[in-house]
Amino acid sequence: MFVCLIVWFFISILSVFSAFSLLSIFLEKKEIIKLLGIQPFLTSFIGTLALSNLFMILAFFSSLRTTHLVVVSIAVLSYAFFSLTRQDVQTLADILRENFLTMLISSALSFFLISIPHHEASDIVGYHIQMAKYLHEYGLVTGLALIHPQLGHQSIWFALPAPFEDFLGIYSSLIVGGFSLFISFCQFFRSLSRINKDIYEFFLVCFFLLSFVAFYARVYVTSVEVPLNIIIGMTVFCSLRYFSSEDETPDSEVKHLFFWPAVIFPSFGFALKLTGIPVFLFGIYLFIHRFGFKLNKSHLRWGIITTILVLTKLTASALTSGCPLYPSSLFHLQAPWFIGENSSKEVIELITTFARLEVTKAPENINHLNWIFPWSKTLGGKGVIYLFIFLMILILSCILVLKKDFLIFCKKYTSVLLFAAVGVLYVFINAPRIKFMGPYIITMVSMFLLATFQKDAILSSLSLVASFSISEIMVANRKLGLIQALLLLLLVISSTLYREKYKQFIFLTAYTHKLVLHLAYFTALTFYSSTNTNLLLLPEVSSLKRQFTSQDINGVKFFFPKNSISCGYSPLPCSLGKVWSEFSLEDIELIDKEKGIAGGFKRKNYSPE
């Protein structure tokens, strides 16, 4: 736990100064400090993403070692040293002091969530740890997708843990990758404490609350989906502040401050994962909405930053698979490490089939038109349906509470709601799993909760509990749904008899009871399953370890996990053999035998057309 706190605290400090460096392209120094004072965690997360992208660019040229972390840290801190006055540093120290308790509590809660056992089929032991380790030992290795298709999925988030590998080892991906969960908790508690000062903070309270109980519980909290989820939530929050009226935000400078994070975050969304394309397009829309198509300095600066982020993602994917838009073979390179159009189609088919049916090969009677009913019976399908039911109930309650104002609310935020709906549709067509669709559905749910809260805080609390109860009864756990129905009854009675006296109690109970139950469960699970005698120092990692055999193939020593379907924290290169659409290792060879693995892999006896 203490190691996590130290590492997350260090990344937070470094992220603040990295964000300062990036935002100085668009904002004045005093404006950045003001933004940090209002939203320290939102602002610092921009810096975290900037660091991730910088490390990925460095990985194109060399392995990522502690030296790179030290050099980048010195460069960022030096920039801050020459840019900030003593008064500025004192202001930043006051911001840190104000939020230190929040960071401490968030660190403890995040620690127990990252320490739970990881299923051997999960992405973190499947390829996330492997990717970070490749970046640490060799840099970005050309042709990695030939060894395993999942290694073709590139994200700047994989680069962040790599330079920490020298001193964190097996804990690197778990602790550094878990920083996004830590930021989620920090932002949740920060927004919860500021609702009375800024009603739009309520959106972030709802967004992260639902992320904790309905999304993070279904994905592995160190995965790329978590930072992408944060990007989507923070982009929408910033856009709400940008679209707010003069009555809601009298200070026009604040609207200006939040505009730039609203258009910067989406570009990082593309660099993280292709399921971030909808939020990327939303960022472009916001920029055009403000500046139009007339070229100016703002266009040039934002265009350069966005181009760098997009090219980082495309280049990383092209180097590992030959496909810039991997797994799609669209615009593929005629390179000796290109996986081939047939292999590309196989990977896409497998991803889609598994997302729809949770099997690697669809039954003969299932096609692209009749998969929805069997999908609805899978665990992943039920998770999506749970959120859809939740959304429908909240829309209904929002209509009942707002009446005519409902249409006014929808009209005012048409672009936000349309963006979320496009995100849902885009993912539903390609890979309808909760890990991909969740953030977009949660965005709409949080928007309608915000609308209800602006009208009546008590009714928003009751509608939330009612939505949880009905969704649980219809899709998930009927007993838990009935318990929540009982809680709803007690809250209704309390609000009827003692509305003003227990207003705060009703609100906190409605919006935290589910989170408290989840945290209690995962904390107990961590202690029950842990074999770590130093749990107060470091998280549990026994589920990441594997035993291996090895074999020399075409001059490369490959490692194979024993009695496991994933590589976990393994020596490199690790292979599972021929599982689904991998190339046979006999058909893969080194590009440059003198450079070894660092020089990359290519297909044996293959000549690009």
Side-chain angles (χ1 to χ4, degrees), residues 378-412:
T378 65
L379 183 63
K382 289 179 179 179
V384 174
I385 293 171
Y386 178 98
L387 283 180
F388 268 124
I389 294 174
F390 200 101
L391 175 62
M392 293 300 106
I393 297 168
L394 279 175
I395 291 176
L396 179 61
S397 64
C398 189
I399 293 172
L400 294 176
V401 173
L402 268 65
K403 298 180 175 63
K404 293 181 180 179
D405 291 338
F406 177 79
L407 293 178
I408 297 174
F409 176 84
C410 292
K411 184 177 180 181
K412 182 178 180 181

Side-chain angles (χ1 to χ4, degrees), residues 210 213-215 217-219 355-356 358 374-391 428 432-439 441-442 445 471-472 474-477:
L210 292 168
V213 302
F215 181 62
R218 295 175 180 269
V219 302
R356 292 174 176 176
E358 296 185 355
W375 165 80
S376 68
K377 300 298 181 181
T378 65
L379 183 63
K382 289 179 179 179
V384 174
I385 293 171
Y386 178 98
L387 283 180
F388 268 124
I389 294 174
F390 200 101
L391 175 62
F428 186 78
R433 298 191 71 189
I434 190 69
K435 63 187 290 186
F436 305 133
M437 294 179 67
I441 303 176
I442 290 173
V445 169
S471 300
E472 290 282 357
M474 294 183 66
V475 178
N477 189 322

Side-chain angles (χ1 to χ4, degrees), residues 223-277:
S223 68
V224 180
E225 281 75 22
V226 178
L228 179 59
N229 180 69
I230 296 173
I231 284 175
I232 291 171
M234 289 182 171
T235 297
V236 173
F237 169 76
C238 292
S239 67
L240 291 177
R241 296 302 308 269
Y242 169 67
F243 285 124
S244 61
S245 63
E246 292 184 3
D247 293 336
E248 295 169 322
T249 310
D251 189 351
S252 60
E253 183 185 1
V254 172
K255 295 179 65 173
H256 169 67
L257 293 180
F258 280 103
F259 169 78
W260 287 110
V263 296
I264 293 172
F265 270 128
S267 298
F268 282 113
F270 184 92
L272 281 174
K273 201 175 181 72
L274 289 183
T275 49
I277 287 178

